[in-house]
Amino acid sequence: MENDNTVLLNPPLFALDKDAPLHYAGEICGFRVHSGTAGSGAPQFEAVVLDRSTGEGLVRSKEPLDCESQREHSFTIQAYDCGEGPDGANSKKSHKATVHVRVNDVNEFSPVFVERRYEASVPEGRLFDRIVRVEALDADCSPQYSQICFYDIITPNVPFAIDNDGNIKNTEPLDSKRQRVHSFWVTAFDCGKNRAQADAQVIITVKPSCKPGWIGWSKRVEYTPGSGSIPLFPNLHLETCEERVWNIQATVELQTGHIGKGCDRDSYSDRSVRRLCGAVRGEVDLLPPPSPAANWTSALPTLPSSDSSLVFSFNGSSHVAVVPDSVAAAVSGDHFTLQLWMRRGGANMQPPSNQARGSRREEEFIVCSTVRNDDSYSHYSLSVHGCRLSLFYWPDVSAARPVKFLWKLEQVCDSEWHHLSLSVQFPSVTLYVDGVTFDPALIHDSGAIPSPAPRQRLVIGACWGTYRPNKGFRMGRLNPLPPSGRYIGGYRGLLSGVTVRPGSVEPHSVVECLYACREGLDFGDLETLGSGMKVHVNPSQSVLVLEGDDIESFNRAVQQVTYRNSLRFATPGVRPLKLTTSLRCFNEEGCLSLKQLEGYLVVLQPDAPQISLSGVGPHLARPAAEFEGLRGVPLFPELRIVCSLSHAVNTAAQGMEGGALMSDAVAHTLDGCEVQPLGEELNPEREELLVDMESLKERGLDIINTTAYIAITGAESISVYEDILRSIRYRLAKGSARFERRFRLSCSEMNGRYTSNELTLEVNFLHSLESLYHPSHLLASQQQFLHPSHHSGELGGHTLPNPHRNSVVPGAATVIIMVCVGFLVVMVILGVFRIRSIHRRGDGARNVAKEGSSQWDDSALTIIVNPMESYESRMGVSMDTEGEGEEDEEGVDSPGDASDDQRIIIRKEGRDSAPRRY
């Protein structure tokens, strides 16, 4: 037993000697203990003889044994007899016997926990087989006392249980909102029912439900025009719920296909954009706006466009534009650049019912042209067939063989807007699609085919000739302008901005500028990009791809994705956003799958600019001789154009209530101004508007000069337009001056998106007095009402820089002044006659009263009051003096004329019944 020195041998220790019962020789004198095989046991044990005659012995330990130090001991024991005498001489030894001693354990130790505190965290809403495992140890050496028989939770009323192995689990789903942290105590018992020396604390934290995916996603993002770049996902981060991943890829897609031609671009005309991009001048617009000078597009239907550009629709049959020979002759040569915007299919345009999707369709021609060179003809055609774009080029129809260049492009058949720029420097051909260069997928010789008729022609939306299914396209010798039914390969879709420029090809930088989107996705700061991260943006900046292997670095990179729009007046509207994520985990079978996130970016309505035209008075009066001069008279010499933006200002910080509007003057670019005569159109034989054509050409501006209006177009600064408009002069032919002419001036920017106020100017022509007697003047019969002394007063509302002595102001103002003066004279004369008449009637009434005073009628009292008596008393002597001169000449009015007098009759009943009249 542990802590004891008695060894209980089984079987007991006995040694026998065959010399027995001889004295000494047959007796066992002692036992010797020898070390075992491992050299252990001998120093700790000893053997003593209990009975020499029987050879019984006892093995005991020299000190109490400790089971925990050594549980088993092994040694050998050997007996020896007493020899031949008392001195033990010639004693004999026995063989050695092996003794195995096992120390029996005593339950002297209590269990001890490995950790005093155990912590774990679990997601809410689930039941777990094991959340955490506690462990206790017992220092006893035997399995009976060293093993932990069971554990117990000593804290009552907790939703947890523990098994005999120390595994703790929850007995009900946990709720982080109800209780975030659970804390309780556990104890342990060994098989000897000894309790743990100290209990252990267990703390379990309940985490909210972990759903793998993006956290912090905002479905709506607002953008204020003029803000530059803004982060799209400032608070976004990826949660993998402790799933180990080794590759993360996220794709951000901004959908702008519904904004203009694929994205927000400059809203100027195509010609103005070419100027802003520094393109070489000399391009010819093959699809210009319909006008009397460009009537070949008048039959084509047009569609509205958010960027104010002109979009033509082609239906594949009747919609064909035949460019006149005069225009086609300007684009000859084998070095040219063809540029256009195209969209296959167009809006609400479905293929014919007999053509299934994916079936072989007829080749559709966009441009088909035969041009005359110096001494020969060349032919080219640009067409689409399925998802292939082809250029059929014939450098010399009479000698060389045609060559066809083919490109296989997804952009041709995706029903989206795309910009194509084709530069031909035969035999070199360069194609740019949306600013990206594409090499031909195939170049082959078309072989010997009949040459087209040597006739210059240019057709948009189809081609002329015949089509053989087994031999391909064959040019036909048809009339110069065949009927629409003879055209083949009609184009189905939308076209815009189709231009061709002969000569050297456009540089790549110019092509990129023409296509460049002013809005798109971008990455904030590439220097902050973590190691192992990659960023890729497509040319149109509508798709951005992030790739990395570290979640923390990836989250920081996602928060750097921005949206930028460099237009001051961005197109308002919604841009859908999509975020697609793919993960690769170390555990491929249980790798996470994240759903696609969808949101939208809202571009708010920009502050509309206010274009103000001022500095021109409502009237411009000049002598007619100045208008008849060689240079005419400038209409807007003091014109000022100011463009400002009004925005709300928060005045709360300044202690004022509400808000205010503040207007900031900004430098803008105008793209058009128009001067229009009001009333009848200009008569080219009598009048004209003069414009400095050299200045327009130097600045690259275009002008449309008709009798109905003058339009100056082109993107330029406000100062340039001020100089041009100030130089516009109005000139009259000799002897054709009238009294007035009115003009209206207005300007616009962003291709007519924002317009200015309309400035109206009335031009008055000053004539000399001799010219007023001419029968052609309207006021010749009214000169009797005009006096030279009144001229300066009547012209007080006009600006006369050099007034002539005998000049008057004609026109509507003069007529109104003369009518008013005449009306005033008539009213004064009538007033004088009225006063005189009343005065005479008053004198006649007094004479009648004197004559009838002897005949008294006292039946009633009648009083007649003359209302002019008080007036006469106020008039005084001057009135009496004036009336005496005419008193003898005028008769007395009848007393019975009661309509001109006011009578007050008072009747008084008394003794005298006869009435009295005064």
Side-chain angles (χ1 to χ4, degrees), residues 5 17 41 86 103 106 132 137 139 201 244 270 348 373 375 422 432 520 571 667 682 748 775 780 782 798 804 895:
N5 57 0
D17 194 330
V103 182
V106 176
V132 66
L137 301 178
Q201 185 184 17
R244 298 179 59 194
D270 292 334
N348 301 324
N373 299 324
D375 53 356
L422 189 67
Y432 298 96
T571 303
L682 296 175
S748 65
Q782 301 181 13
H798 297 268
H804 294 275

Side-chain angles (χ1 to χ4, degrees), residues 24 40 97 104 312 364 368 380 389 542 561 566 586 669 725 733 837:
Y24 296 111
S40 63
N104 289 335
F312 293 93
E364 301 177 15
C368 190
Y380 73 89
L389 178 73
S542 60
V561 177
S566 60
F586 288 98
T669 300
L725 294 176
S837 176

Side-chain angles (χ1 to χ4, degrees), residues 566-635:
S566 60
L567 292 180
R568 180 175 295 169
F569 307 109
T571 303
V574 176
R575 278 86 162 158
L577 268 174
K578 291 183 180 180
L579 176 60
T580 306
T581 311
S582 63
L583 303 176
R584 293 184 179 181
C585 310
F586 288 98
N587 183 14
E588 294 292 343
E589 296 180 356
C591 195
L592 303 175
S593 178
L594 304 182
K595 67 177 183 179
Q596 185 183 68
L597 297 180
E598 295 184 359
Y600 53 92
L601 172 75
V602 180
V603 177
L604 303 179
Q605 185 75 30
D607 296 329
Q610 286 131 15
I611 308 172
S612 175
L613 307 180
S614 61
V616 178
H619 298 281
L620 176 65
R622 294 287 188 277
E626 294 187 16
F627 289 96
E628 296 173 354
L630 182 62
R631 294 178 54 84
V633 175
L635 294 180

Side-chain angles (χ1 to χ4, degrees), residues 7-17 28-34 45-61 75-80 94-101:
V7 178
L8 302 179
L9 291 179
N10 185 21
L13 178 58
F14 285 94
L16 300 178
D17 194 330
I28 302 300
C29 277
F31 297 94
R32 291 188 179 93
V33 177
H34 302 278
F45 296 90
E46 62 179 359
V48 295
V49 178
L50 298 181
D51 189 353
R52 288 187 175 187
S53 60
T54 60
E56 182 181 0
L58 175 67
V59 177
R60 60 186 179 187
S61 62
F75 54 90
T76 59
I77 189 172
Q78 190 177 31
Y80 59 92
S94 67
H95 65 277
K96 294 179 180 180
T98 302
V99 179
H100 297 280
V101 178

Side-chain angles (χ1 to χ4, degrees), residues 92-365:
K92 303 285 184 168
K93 298 178 183 179
S94 67
H95 65 277
K96 294 179 180 180
T98 302
V99 179
H100 297 280
V101 178
R102 182 177 68 245
V103 182
N104 289 335
D105 188 21
V106 176
N107 193 9
E108 58 182 334
F109 294 99
S110 298
V112 177
F113 282 98
V114 176
E115 302 286 344
R116 294 296 303 274
R117 182 173 178 174
Y118 294 86
E119 295 183 5
S121 60
V122 292
E124 63 180 353
R126 294 172 53 188
L127 291 175
F128 297 90
D129 295 334
R130 187 179 75 172
I131 297 176
V132 66
R133 181 178 182 269
V134 299
E135 183 181 6
L137 301 178
D138 196 310
D140 291 321
C141 64
S142 63
Q144 180 181 2
Y145 301 124
S146 64
Q147 291 184 355
I148 305 300
C149 279
F150 62 95
Y151 295 87
D152 190 20
I153 297 177
I154 60 177
T155 302
N157 302 324
V158 292
F160 299 96
I162 190 170
D163 59 12
N164 293 339
D165 294 328
N167 297 315
I168 298 177
K169 65 179 181 179
N170 58 324
T171 57
E172 63 183 40
L174 303 179
D175 189 355
S176 62
K177 297 180 181 178
R178 183 185 304 172
Q179 186 174 353
R180 183 68 182 274
V181 178
H182 295 267
S183 178
F184 53 92
W185 295 84
V186 296
T187 188
F189 293 88
D190 61 14
C191 294
K193 296 186 179 181
N194 274 0
R195 182 176 171 175
Q197 205 171 26
D199 299 329
Q201 185 184 17
V202 179
I203 298 176
I204 297 179
T205 303
V206 182
K207 297 188 302 183
S209 299
C210 180
K211 297 179 180 179
W214 291 102
I215 299 177
W217 170 262
S218 179
K219 190 172 183 180
R220 175 187 172 97
V221 181
E222 291 187 354
Y223 178 81
T224 302
S227 302
S229 297
I230 63 168
L232 292 176
F233 321 113
N235 303 315
L236 192 64
H237 66 278
L238 181 62
E239 175 62 54
T240 60
C241 296
E242 301 181 359
E243 183 72 28
R244 298 179 59 194
V245 297
W246 63 271
N247 182 267
I248 313 170
Q249 183 173 330
T251 302
V252 183
E253 182 180 358
L254 179 68
Q255 298 180 5
T256 58
H258 60 290
I259 304 296
K261 297 185 182 72
C263 63
D264 210 358
R265 294 184 173 87
D266 286 316
S267 297
Y268 301 110
S269 63
D270 292 334
R271 187 179 295 271
S272 297
V273 172
R274 289 183 59 84
R275 286 192 61 256
L276 295 175
C277 291
V280 181
R281 300 177 185 177
E283 73 279 357
V284 177
D285 194 353
L286 301 184
L287 289 179
S291 65
N295 58 358
W296 67 89
T297 59
S298 58
L300 297 178
T302 59
L303 297 178
S305 176
S306 59
D307 60 355
S308 303
S309 62
L310 198 59
V311 177
F312 293 93
S313 176
F314 294 83
N315 61 0
S317 57
S318 60
H319 297 162
V320 178
V322 180
V323 182
D325 292 344
S326 59
V327 178
V331 294
S332 60
D334 56 356
H335 288 59
F336 61 90
T337 299
L338 177 66
Q339 295 186 353
L340 56 94
W341 287 94
M342 65 169 292
R343 179 182 176 184
R344 288 286 297 282
N348 301 324
M349 188 176 296
Q350 300 296 331
S353 57
N354 59 350
Q355 292 180 351
R357 181 174 177 85
S359 61
R360 184 176 181 88
R361 292 184 53 185
E362 184 181 358
E363 193 169 9
E364 301 177 15
F365 289 90

Side-chain angles (χ1 to χ4, degrees), residues 789-810:
S789 61
H790 295 162
H791 289 172
S792 61
E794 295 172 2
L795 299 178
H798 297 268
T799 303
L800 296 176
N802 295 312
H804 294 275
R805 183 175 182 180
N806 295 326
S807 62
V808 296
V809 176

